Structures are given as C-alpha cells and as structure tokens.
Amino acid sequence: MKLDLLIRASNILTLDETYPVAHEMGIISGRIVGFDHELSGCTATRIEDFGDVTITPGFIDAHCHTTWWGLGLGALDLSEARGLEELYALLEAEMERLSDFPGQWLNGTGFNHKHHDGQFPDIQRLDAITGERPLYLRHISGHASITNTATLRLAGVLEEAFTDPVGGAVVRDSHGQPTGLVEEEAQGIIQKMLLPYSVEQIVGALDAATARYAAEGITSFTEAGVGGGWIGHSPIEITAYQKALSAGKLHARAQLMPTLDALRPQKSHSSDAHGTGTGLGLDLGLGAGFGNEHLSLGPVKVFMDGSLLGATAAVTEDYCGHNHKTGYLLDDAESYREKVAAAYRAGWPVALHSIGDAAIDLSLEIIGELQEKYGRNALPNRIEHFGIARPDQVTTAARHNIAVTPQASFIEPLGDQFAKLVGPEREGWLYRGQSLLEAGVLVAGSSDLPVADNNVRRALASAVNRRTEKGKVLGGSKECLSPLEALRLYTVNAAKATGQFTDRGTLSRGKLADFVVLSDTPLNAEALENLQVLATYVGGESTYRTVSAELSASITL
C-alpha cells in the first residue's frame, strides 16, 4: 500500500485508548489509515519526520465568534489602554487617521473597564473627540458597547417615543440622559446601521481569523451564532462561509450555529415535527448536521441572559456591590419555552447561552422537558458557558446528559473580576472544572473568542492551575484538572459535544488527519504555557508551519 503521507515523531499522543502512543502515522486521502506496525511494508509519496516533538489531535474550539473577531482585526484595539486618558488619546489619534474618510465609523474593540478603575468613558468627552462621526466601541464581553451622541441620534434613541428593546437597555444617568453605554439586545439598534456586512467582507474576516486559528493549532471550531440577532453579520452569512471554503480561505473546519432569530416559522405535513406540522427552521428544512466534513450546521444558538462582566447574567442572588441587581433574562421565560420548543420539535438541537444560575435553571428545565417529550435530536444539547453553576445544577446537567462549555481561558484575564462580582460564597461555582468531570458532565473546551484569546496552550494551563492575574486559584484546587483531562477538553470532549467524534477528537484509523505538532508534551504541567505550535495539519495538509518545523521535518518526495 502506498501512503500519501507518512508522519514520524518521537511522541504521537493519539488519545485513543486502544492505541494511546505511536511513532508513525499513515495518511491516505486526508484520513488516518494506521500506525507503527500496521504500516509495515507501506511506501509513501511524502515522509515527514518531525523528530523529538509531540503530536496530538488538532485542537477544537467548541464556542467562538470567528466573523466578529475577524472583522475586529481591522478595528482600533483598545485592550492595551490603561486609564481613560490613554483611551481618549487612542481615539484622538484614530480621528486624525480617519480625517480623509468622511462618514466612516470609528470602530474600536477590546474595551474592558477593569483597565480603567472600573470606569466607562464619559459621553461628553467622547462627543468632544468625535463630533458627528459615528462611534462604536465594543466591550470585551460582547454584551455591551459604547457610543456617542451622534450615533444615538442616528439610531433614534434621542427621540421622545424611543423605548428600550426587550432584553437590553440604553443606560441613562440620574437625569435620564444616555451615558453612551448600550447593553445586550439594545446593541441591535446600533448594529442595524452597520448590517448587513457584505459576503466579501465576511470572507476576508474568515480568511484572516482562521489563518490565525491554524497558528494556534486549531483544526475545527464552532461558530456560536450566525444569520440573525445581535451576534449575526448577514442573513446570508452561511453563503460567505461556503465562498471562503471554495476559495481556500477557510483554514479550519467550521460548524455553524444559526441563531434562534435566524429561524422562521415553517408549516409542513401534519405528521412532521412530532405530529404538529409546525416549527421553527431554515428554508428547505435544512437542519443540524447538514453539510460535510469541512462545513456543517450545528445546534441553534439561543441567548438566555447577558454577561457576568456587565452584571447582566441572570443570577438568583444579588451581585456583590450591586444591591438588588441580579441581571436579567433577555426574554420572558414562557416565550423561551415556546420558541425553543418550536425549534426543537422541528429537529434542531439547542445550545442555550446561560451564564447566571437563574438562566441555567431555566435552560436545564427547558432541555430536560424537551428531551423527555421529544427524545434527542441529531447533535447533543448544550448549555453555553455554564458560568455560575450551583452544585445541584451540575448534578442535573449530568442526569440529562447535557454538554457544557465553561471557558478555562477566562480564568487568568477575567477571574479576579468574576470573583469580586459573586463573592467568596459563590466563587466555587465559577466556570467549574473537576467537579463537572466527576459528576459525569461532558465538558467541551472553548475560548468564546474574542472575549478571551484562543491560545489553547494558555487555556490548558488555566484549566490545570486555575490561576487568575492576581494569583488566586479560582474556586480552589479542587476544580483543577490534570494535563490529560485538560487536553481532552479541546480534543475528545469538544468532538463529542459538537457531535463530530466519529470524524475527529482522536487520532484513530479512519478519522480525519487533523493534528498539531507541539514542541513538547502537553502532559507535563510545567511545560503547558511554554509549548510552541510548530505545525498544524487539516486532512493531512499543512495549514501552518514555523521555520522550526521546516528545519526539524525531513521531507521525502
């Protein structure tokens, strides 16, 4: 038998329990055909010997926002500003740069109030800097944005008849005047002036973003919301993904979650949709799992509550320092039950964004009832983030076999803020680790990019040590994972949670040849943060290579 590619390395961690470690791996037509002795007598068109390195399955980011991040790569980066004066100086410099582009918006990304003593920009100062130029600055959480009077005027916010949309607010001061802060669903009034982005713009964003994914060892990802709502970028966003794929500009495999807002009422035969003939779906009856190994549809994304950073996530007890503030659901509970059920009975699995424990309560109830009434759909049902989870909720999630996606990548940059907001009694509930695994919950690794970066090696370290910027071990050492458990979050578990384990998540015969070449083993806790991604392969083809990889791999044609 002649292989397309023979890979050699001192340490190939397959994560397949039947053959955990190999030294040679054979590939034909983008899939793995065998290891070591199974390849005896085979020849190969290409041989790549990486020597003393470690190869693992490609990393899977089970929840991220690729188009949003890709578009933001061209926006003003506010993340390095420390203190509002530095931020204002950045805006002034950007205004100078834009002086030859009248009418163009000033877009900024990466604002976090923790870098400014908890303060937000003053709208009068913003107005003085920007004048009549529209301004749109996104908070790092994605659940809030900052703007100026000119933009609020364009959006109709200053009109007497304006009212806040359900599930959001234009924040006002004690005199009833807008502060420039716009929360949750209210962001839609700003974004609708920018939407829809063109297919060409989205393709460019995907090209730029996924090329960077490859550099992080990411071979598959789930886009957590396309086509509608404040997280979508175009009603034909899937078209942009298809064009990016055909043009060679999608450098990782993509699973796309349509938002609940993107679904439409559908009426079919009376025997369909569990005997109702009605439900919510995409045209032509396209559903979860539709597509191929490169691009497919995932579950429906539903925003149940807001963000922890903005204290808008729905919790059962007040946030510390915020009397009588418990966040809020973004719609009423009965409306959620009806809409999610309509999508579910039409065949859609669901992924419910629920950060606060009050939102998690409702999500567990809805999913549990739907599974009991209608059974399971094509892919696992999920709760996204599962950020402030009580012990009883962990048990319930395990009982219902619900997958969850708490972000270990949040712990270092955001953990101190989280802990301050919930206080010591609830700190152990934050973005859990070991307690979920011990309960039998399927936990998938993810970044929620751009809320946190998608450096998987740093996320692995955070899952293991759970250290915040100030040195706190978030939730205590009892939530820390072993390096192997952490690695499984971003490979085996993420593949299972996205319903794609038959194709990816381990290096096994018949599976896709998606793998990452690392400078050292990720099973050594001391090495995690210092690991280097030397190369990334999707279907046996390199999507990323460093000079070090070129030098270390002897290639035979």
Side-chain angles (χ1 to χ4, degrees):
M1 180 169 61
K2 188 169 186 178
L3 307 171
D4 293 333
L5 175 62
L6 176 64
I7 294 291
R8 290 176 175 152
S10 62
N11 189 25
I12 301 176
L13 295 177
T14 69
L15 298 188
D16 184 335
E17 294 177 0
T18 65
Y19 199 90
V21 180
H23 307 289
E24 291 188 331
M25 179 169 63
I27 298 165
I28 296 177
S29 298
R31 289 186 179 265
I32 299 166
V33 295
F35 300 93
D36 296 341
H37 65 278
E38 298 171 332
L39 305 175
S40 178
C42 292
T43 59
T45 301
R46 287 189 302 146
I47 299 174
E48 297 195 25
D49 189 338
F50 286 97
D52 189 19
V53 300
T54 295
I55 291 175
T56 73
F59 299 142
I60 302 171
D61 191 333
H63 179 120
C64 57
H65 302 283
T66 309
T67 301
W68 166 15
W69 186 60
L71 291 168
L73 292 172
L76 178 64
D77 183 6
L78 306 173
S79 63
E80 297 301 316
R82 296 295 182 269
L84 289 178
E85 290 303 319
E86 283 193 19
L87 183 138
Y88 296 142
L90 287 175
L91 296 178
E92 288 170 346
E94 184 69 357
M95 281 294 293
E96 179 66 24
R97 188 185 73 81
L98 293 173
S99 60
D100 293 332
F101 304 94
Q104 184 170 322
W105 285 55
L106 196 168
N107 289 303
T109 188
F111 175 82
N112 188 338
H113 54 290
K114 81 169 183 178
H115 298 315
H116 309 282
D117 296 324
Q119 300 178 75
F120 287 80
D122 179 83
I123 192 169
Q124 294 183 354
R125 187 73 178 270
L126 295 177
D127 290 345
I129 294 170
T130 59
E132 291 302 309
R133 186 182 295 276
L135 173 73
Y136 183 43
L137 309 179
R138 298 197 77 161
H139 191 276
I140 189 68
S141 68
H143 288 258
S145 54
I146 300 155
T147 190
N148 59 1
T149 299
T151 309
L152 294 173
R153 184 181 299 113
L154 286 172
V157 173
L158 304 184
E159 296 176 7
E160 189 173 335
F162 176 81
T163 57
D164 286 335
V166 174
V170 175
V171 178
R172 297 175 184 269
D173 62 22
S174 58
H175 302 289
Q177 297 302 309
T179 65
L181 180 61
V182 182
E183 293 180 343
E184 303 299 345
E185 293 293 324
Q187 293 182 94
I189 64 176
I190 308 297
Q191 290 170 322
K192 71 180 181 182
M193 295 187 287
L194 295 167
L195 297 175
Y197 288 89
S198 70
V199 166
E200 182 181 358
Q201 286 175 296
I202 297 173
V203 168
L206 294 174
D207 186 14
T210 59
R212 288 165 171 81
Y213 285 15
E216 297 294 346
I218 294 169
T219 56
S220 293
F221 66 94
T222 295
E223 177 78 29
V226 299
W230 65 265
I231 202 67
H233 296 89
S234 168
I236 59 169
E237 200 162 349
I238 293 175
T239 298
Y241 268 89
Q242 291 177 307
K243 287 187 176 294
L245 176 60
S246 64
K249 295 182 177 181
L250 191 63
H251 309 291
R253 305 182 194 275
Q255 181 187 68
L256 310 181
M257 290 184 183
T259 65
L260 186 63
D261 296 315
L263 304 188
R264 302 196 300 188
Q266 294 183 328
K267 187 172 179 62
S268 56
H269 191 274
S270 60
S271 64
D272 296 331
H274 293 273
T276 67
T278 62
L280 291 175
L282 297 179
D283 289 344
L284 300 178
L286 299 181
F290 182 83
N292 57 33
E293 64 196 37
H294 297 286
L295 180 61
S296 63
L297 294 177
V300 168
K301 171 70 178 295
V302 184
F303 282 100
M304 305 293 285
D305 68 346
S307 79
L308 180 48
L309 285 183
T312 56
V315 292
T316 55
E317 301 175 38
D318 290 357
Y319 287 104
C320 295
H322 297 267
N323 290 335
H324 309 299
K325 184 167 185 178
T326 56
Y328 48 85
L329 296 174
L330 301 186
D331 202 345
D332 66 88
E334 191 55 38
S335 178
Y336 277 127
R337 289 189 181 93
E338 292 176 1
K339 292 177 181 178
V340 174
Y344 195 85
R345 67 173 178 260
W348 287 97
V350 295
L352 308 184
H353 165 115
S354 306
I355 292 179
D357 64 325
I360 293 172
D361 276 336
L362 181 58
S363 295
L364 289 169
E365 178 186 326
I366 289 174
I367 293 175
E369 290 176 353
L370 291 174
Q371 289 182 165
E372 182 176 350
K373 186 173 183 178
Y374 300 118
R376 297 182 181 277
N377 288 325
L379 306 174
N381 293 308
R382 299 169 40 166
I383 294 180
E384 306 306 293
H385 310 300
F386 209 67
I388 310 172
R390 303 188 310 268
D392 63 292
Q393 294 176 323
V394 173
T395 303
T396 303
R399 185 172 71 252
H400 291 309
N401 293 314
I402 298 170
V404 302
T405 63
Q407 284 73 34
S409 53
F410 286 179
I411 293 172
E412 181 182 358
L414 306 175
D416 292 310
Q417 287 176 278
F418 293 164
K420 183 177 180 181
L421 280 164
V422 302
E425 292 184 358
R426 288 179 285 177
E427 183 189 314
W429 303 355
L430 288 168
Y431 293 91
R432 291 171 176 270
Q434 189 61 236
S435 60
L436 290 170
L437 297 184
E438 289 178 356
V441 178
L442 178 56
V443 185
S446 71
S447 66
D448 200 22
L449 182 79
V451 181
D453 68 34
N454 63 353
N455 183 324
V456 177
R457 296 150 293 152
R458 188 176 300 136
L460 294 175
S462 286
V464 171
N465 63 45
R466 296 186 65 87
R467 290 198 179 277
T468 69
E469 283 182 344
K470 294 182 179 179
K472 176 189 287 290
V473 178
L474 193 69
S477 59
K478 65 182 182 298
E479 290 293 347
C480 295
L481 304 186
S482 71
L484 177 58
E485 289 169 330
L487 179 60
R488 286 175 63 88
L489 297 188
Y490 293 87
T491 52
V492 174
N493 291 16
K496 290 180 177 179
T498 57
Q500 300 172 319
F501 188 61
T502 56
D503 262 346
R504 63 203 79 177
T506 64
L507 300 176
S508 307
R509 288 175 59 185
K511 287 195 175 185
L512 297 165
D514 296 354
F515 57 93
V516 57
V517 182
L518 300 172
S519 58
D520 201 348
T521 176
L523 302 187
N524 179 355
E526 300 302 318
L528 286 172
E529 293 182 71
N530 298 319
L531 290 175
Q532 298 174 35
V533 174
L534 301 178
T536 304
Y537 284 71
V538 174
E541 297 296 330
S542 174
T543 56
Y544 173 77
R545 288 176 80 93
T546 63
V547 173
S548 298
E550 295 287 356
L551 293 175
S552 65
S554 60
I555 303 174
T556 303
L557 299 178

